[in-house]
Every structure is written in structure tokens, then in C-alpha cells.
Amino acid sequence: MKSVFFGAVSATALIASAVYAEPQAEVLHWWTSGGEAKSVAVLQEEFASKGGQWTDMPVAGGGGDAAMTALRARVLSGNAPTAVQLKGPAIQEWYEEGVLADISAVAEAQGWADVLPASIAGHMKCEGTWCAAPVNVHRVDWIWANADVLEANGIEMPTTWDEFNAAAEKLQAAGIIPLAHGGQAWQDATVFEAVALGVLGADGFRKAFVDLDMDTLKSDEMKAVFDQMRTMRGYVDDNFSGRDWNLATAMVMNGEAAFQIMGDWAKGEFMAAGKVPGEDFLCASVPGDGFLYNVDSFAMFDVDGDDKKAGQELLAELIVGQNFQKVFNLNKGSIPARVDVSLEEFDSCAHLSAKDMGESSDNGSLLPSYAHGMALRGAQSGAITDVVTAHFNSDMSSDEAVNMLADAVANSM
Ligand code: GAL
């Protein structure tokens, strides 16, 4: 009786697998902080609810440097993950290696071209085919602040770098750490590009970090960017070296520090901790005009097996789906990549982001983040970040820094 029963079950399973491959996906990502983990769980749950089997491959490390090292090792050993958090020109770089899967069938069936802004769609295409699926638009150029700390010290959100510096001096005199910062290269780069946008303006930023214009890289304005970085080095605490970005956000949450300059994944941390924007914490764009965007996306790698291919199709479909774009971004701190998702349930920081993004797009100041891999290929962005970090962690002068910057960029091309 028993063996008949089991025999019947396995026969059914065999028939089922012949006609329907159960979607499988091994997903490499770097979303391991509180807010990030809550966000990626939204995708895991949607995938499971559609019968998918998710194998998680998280590689801790904000900004994704460690994840990208892990990816290279996996691809080199001929064992690429099914889906990978990948963005900007890195998508094209992997496409050129001939290892990406074409997801155009899903993109076309779902009409992605009609619901994604052209600027975002452009990053998702490789020689005319769709090679990645976007999840969001993060803004990088934000200042976050502890509302009580500012109020107690009679400080408004700064609207110029001079105001920022004056506020920082006042806070420091009151025994509060002005700037919560983690000394990791990508965090130094994040602060640097936010300062650069403010000091150089949108055109200057584009010339420097999109066009790699040597005159701009060596300009007096760029020296002023490094001057401001030197000033800000004085506003971080002694233990900043190596600190993770979410621990820096926690310092703002608990009032140990007043400000953090970080993309709006920091808002995901505040929200995950139950903090309320406008009450517990404040958001404002950094002084200056423009909008630095950072679009997270997933690329599918060429893999064998109908179950994995079914997993890739299902993932691509869910990622650009309206419900996922809403729920994920409510957790992540970003705004949806799709233009037709209502922002009604989103908070005031998200509304500000959407408004500024629209205006920047209209007036030509919507710019790709260099620090988050949206503007340049790895060799060039890496060369810039090396100089930024070397300057921040030494007593290098701004003159030396701009010369080193121009040389490093020239040598990386
Ligand atoms: C960014 C990424 C964000 C966030 C952040 C910190 O590069 O786009 O989604 O995860 O790193 O890990």
C-alpha cells in the first residue's frame, strides 16, 4: 500500500516537471542592512507566492563592492548566479563579456518602454535588447538630520555649504558629532559627489564625472570641492574608519550625531526603525541644484536549465510589476522606476524626490551618480574614488588632490 502511494506521487511529480519547470533563482545582492533586508524580502515573498524557489546569496557591504568581487569569482568559475543586483555601465560591461541573458520577451510583453522614463530604460538596454530590470530610483544628494538635535541647538536644515559649516561648528561646540560618516571608500565618494554637485553645479558635475573633462577635473572649483571635504573631515568623530553606513545612520537616529550625507537608502533605515520623517528625522537635498540618481536593477546571467530560465522570467516580470515597485520602494527609501505608480502612500521625502527629479529632468540637471556606478565604467570611477579616499584620509592639499585626480583619470582610460 505504502509503496503504491509513493509510486503514485512520484509519477505525478514527473509528469508535472515535464510540462512545467518550477521557477528557481539564486539571487546575488548586497541588501543586508535592516531597511535593505526588509525591501528584498518583498521580492522573495512575491517570488515564493508565484511558486518560485529563491536561493539567497547576500554579500554584505554597502555600495556593493564586495558583491561585485563575489560575482566576478562566480562568473570566472563558470557558475554564474541566476540573477544579480547590477547597475549602470557595469551592466554593459558584463554584456560585453557575453554572459548576460536577454530578457526582451518579458520587457516587451509587459510594455516596459511605455512605463519607464527614457533615461532609466537606456541603462537597461544592451545594443537594443533588454538586459536588466530596474527596481527604483534612489537619490544620492541628500542630507539627513536628527530633528530634535537641530531644534535643541537652534539650527535649520542648511541651504548653503557655509550654513552647513556654521551649523557643524555650533554642534561641535555643543559636544555633538556634526557629521555621521563611515570611512569606507564608497561612503567618502558619496559625500564627495554630493559636495561636488553643490559646488560645481550641474554642468560642472557633468563635465567632471560624465565627460571626464580634464580642465574641470583640475579646476579651481574642483579645488574648492576638496577644500570642503577637508573641512568636513573635521566634523566626523575619531572612530569613523571602516564604519558601515547604516551604523552612521543609527548615530543620527539616536542623537549622537546631527547629520548624515547619504542616499535615500538611509531613509529605509529610519523607516525600518519606526522613525517618522518630518518628526524624528529631516531630509533635504544638499545645497545646490540638481539630482544625482542611482537606479538599482537586476541583470540575469546566462544559465542552463528550464527551471532557472523560468525563474529569470518570473523575477523580471515581478520586479517591474506595479505592486512590487510600490511596496519595495516604500521600504527601500527610493521611489518607483515606473512612472505610473501612485505615490499616495509615500512620505514627504519621496514626494520631494519625485518633484525634484521631474524638474531636474526638464532643466538638464538630472545626473547619474558616479559614486554609485551610474556614470562611469569601473576603471574610471575606481580611479576617482581612490583619490577622494586618499585625500580624505591624509593631509593632502587640494592642489595635490586635483592633480592626482586628473592623472588618475587619464591613466584609467
Ligand atoms: C547602493 C545601492 C542601494 C543601497 C546602498 C547601500 O549602491 O544602490 O540600493 O543598497 O548601496 O548598500
Side-chain angles (χ1 to χ4, degrees), residues 239-264:
N239 298 320
F240 81 107
S241 248
R243 175 188 290 137
D244 286 330
W245 66 273
N246 51 318
L247 301 182
T249 308
M251 290 167 66
V252 176
M253 272 187 227
N254 65 28
E256 203 183 329
F259 297 114
Q260 182 181 22
I261 295 177
M262 187 49 67
D264 42 22

Side-chain angles (χ1 to χ4, degrees), residues 113-368:
D114 301 329
V115 294
L116 298 175
S119 51
I120 294 182
H123 286 291
M124 307 298 139
K125 288 193 144 184
C126 299
E127 288 184 339
T129 66
W130 291 88
C131 49
V135 301
N136 63 3
V137 181
H138 270 305
R139 182 181 199 172
V140 179
D141 50 311
W142 285 111
I143 302 187
W144 307 93
N146 180 303
D148 289 344
V149 168
L150 292 206
E151 201 190 332
N153 290 278
I155 290 169
E156 300 279 324
M157 267 314 233
T159 58
T160 64
W161 289 108
D162 284 345
E163 277 177 30
F164 179 88
N165 295 345
E169 303 287 341
K170 195 169 176 188
L171 289 158
Q172 209 157 35
I176 294 157
I177 299 164
L179 185 62
H181 182 63
Q184 296 174 345
W186 74 272
Q187 293 187 63
D188 299 339
T190 300
V191 175
F192 174 77
E193 75 170 352
V195 172
L197 178 67
V199 174
L200 303 175
D203 286 343
F205 185 97
R206 181 178 293 103
K207 279 192 202 145
F209 304 115
V210 179
D211 304 340
L212 298 178
D213 172 64
M214 286 297 153
D215 289 341
T216 311
L217 290 170
K218 281 193 283 199
S219 63
D220 287 345
E221 289 75 22
M222 190 63 80
K223 285 182 199 162
V225 176
F226 282 104
D227 288 347
Q228 177 62 18
M229 289 300 284
R230 175 65 64 239
T231 302
M232 286 161 86
R233 174 67 182 79
Y235 299 150
V236 308
D237 64 313
D238 289 344
N239 298 320
F240 81 107
S241 248
R243 175 188 290 137
D244 286 330
W245 66 273
N246 51 318
L247 301 182
T249 308
M251 290 167 66
V252 176
M253 272 187 227
N254 65 28
E256 203 183 329
F259 297 114
Q260 182 181 22
I261 295 177
M262 187 49 67
D264 42 22
W265 44 94
K267 193 184 78 187
E269 292 307 295
F270 284 111
M271 304 295 258
K275 304 290 182 194
V276 179
E279 286 177 28
D280 302 313
F281 69 97
L282 307 175
C283 63
S285 58
V286 299
D289 294 328
F291 185 110
L292 296 181
Y293 69 85
N294 170 25
V295 174
D296 284 310
S297 49
F298 281 86
M300 309 301 158
F301 277 66
D302 248 335
V303 287
D304 291 329
D306 287 348
D307 49 358
K308 291 183 180 167
K309 291 187 198 301
Q312 294 180 326
E313 278 179 23
L314 179 57
L315 271 180
E317 193 182 307
L318 293 174
I319 284 171
V320 185
Q322 262 180 323
N323 185 61
F324 171 75
Q325 293 257 325
K326 183 183 89 178
V327 183
F328 174 87
N329 287 302
L330 280 170
N331 286 297
K332 189 71 172 66
S334 35
I335 55 174
R338 280 180 81 117
V339 293
D340 60 348
V341 176
S342 162
L343 294 182
E344 211 180 302
E345 290 170 51
F346 285 74
D347 60 68
S348 54
C349 305
H351 285 147
L352 178 63
S353 182
K355 177 178 144 295
D356 287 356
M357 185 177 161
E359 284 174 13
S360 300
S361 173
D362 291 344
N363 69 22
S365 64
L366 180 62
L367 293 158

